[in-house]
Amino acid sequence: MKSRELPLRKKGNRRLIMISEFLLEECGRLKLNSQQIQENPSILQEAHIYLQPGKNQDGYWTNEHLINQIQIKVIPIFEILFPNCIGLFAFDNSSNHAAFKSNALVANKMNLKPRRKQPKMKDTIFRSNNQHQSMINDAGEPKGMKQILIERGL
């Protein structure tokens, strides 16, 4: 172990905390100063979010948490700090890289037969022949993979 490194410690029974923060090269943490807070009382003053994952806590970080943080905190604060600028946000080391909209067409979320646990997915159009494909059956339930393949002639 190098002299500047901390030793790895075993996990304990203590609570975990997860922090999502936005850092900017120009000003560090994305937050308003006291004057900006007074001038904009309806805007939250800091962009960070704290979650306590685990049983009976806030749950684990999800795509919905990120979207909520950006819409309610990050963009309003950014617009006050940098008027007439366009923000470009880059995300790394996040489980949100694999996040999809709740109705996105994701084959591995489909069941073989229609069941309620399967999410309702948006309709699509196949580019090869410009044919519309509905993902919902006549009963209003999501179609299963088998039905989609039958309708596609496969």
Side-chain angles (χ1 to χ4, degrees), residues 18-56:
M18 189 285 203
I19 303 169
S20 175
E21 181 71 87
F22 280 75
L23 304 173
L24 286 79
E25 188 175 342
E26 292 78 10
C27 62
R29 294 178 58 223
L30 185 60
K31 63 181 184 174
L32 300 176
N33 63 33
S34 56
Q35 179 184 350
Q36 292 164 330
I37 292 168
Q38 288 178 346
E39 293 171 357
N40 303 280
S42 64
I43 304 295
L44 297 171
Q45 58 189 9
E46 296 191 27
H48 66 260
I49 288 185
Y50 296 104
L51 287 179
Q52 292 182 330
K55 189 175 181 181
N56 300 323

Side-chain angles (χ1 to χ4, degrees), residues 62-151:
T62 65
N63 189 45
E64 287 76 25
H65 287 116
L66 178 63
I67 291 169
N68 186 43
Q69 181 183 22
I70 292 170
Q71 289 177 338
I72 293 174
K73 294 184 170 191
V74 175
I75 292 174
I77 294 172
F78 182 88
E79 289 176 341
I80 291 168
L81 293 176
F82 305 99
N84 302 317
C85 291
I86 296 173
L88 174 65
F89 300 98
F91 302 93
D92 196 11
N93 295 328
S94 172
S95 60
N96 290 301
H97 291 161
F100 297 97
K101 267 184 100 173
S102 60
N103 69 344
L105 288 169
V106 181
N108 64 1
K109 289 186 178 182
M110 294 181 75
N111 298 322
L112 180 61
K113 297 178 181 179
R115 294 188 186 143
R116 294 178 191 225
K117 291 182 182 180
Q118 176 178 309
K120 289 186 177 182
M121 298 182 190
K122 66 178 184 173
D123 292 352
T124 190
I125 295 177
F126 288 90
R127 292 183 185 185
S128 60
N129 60 3
N130 224 18
Q131 183 181 6
H132 177 264
Q133 175 68 57
S134 174
M135 303 304 283
I136 305 295
N137 65 22
D138 293 336
E141 295 178 334
K143 291 179 181 176
M145 182 66 76
K146 183 177 180 180
Q147 182 62 36
I148 298 295
L149 292 173
I150 289 170
E151 291 174 9

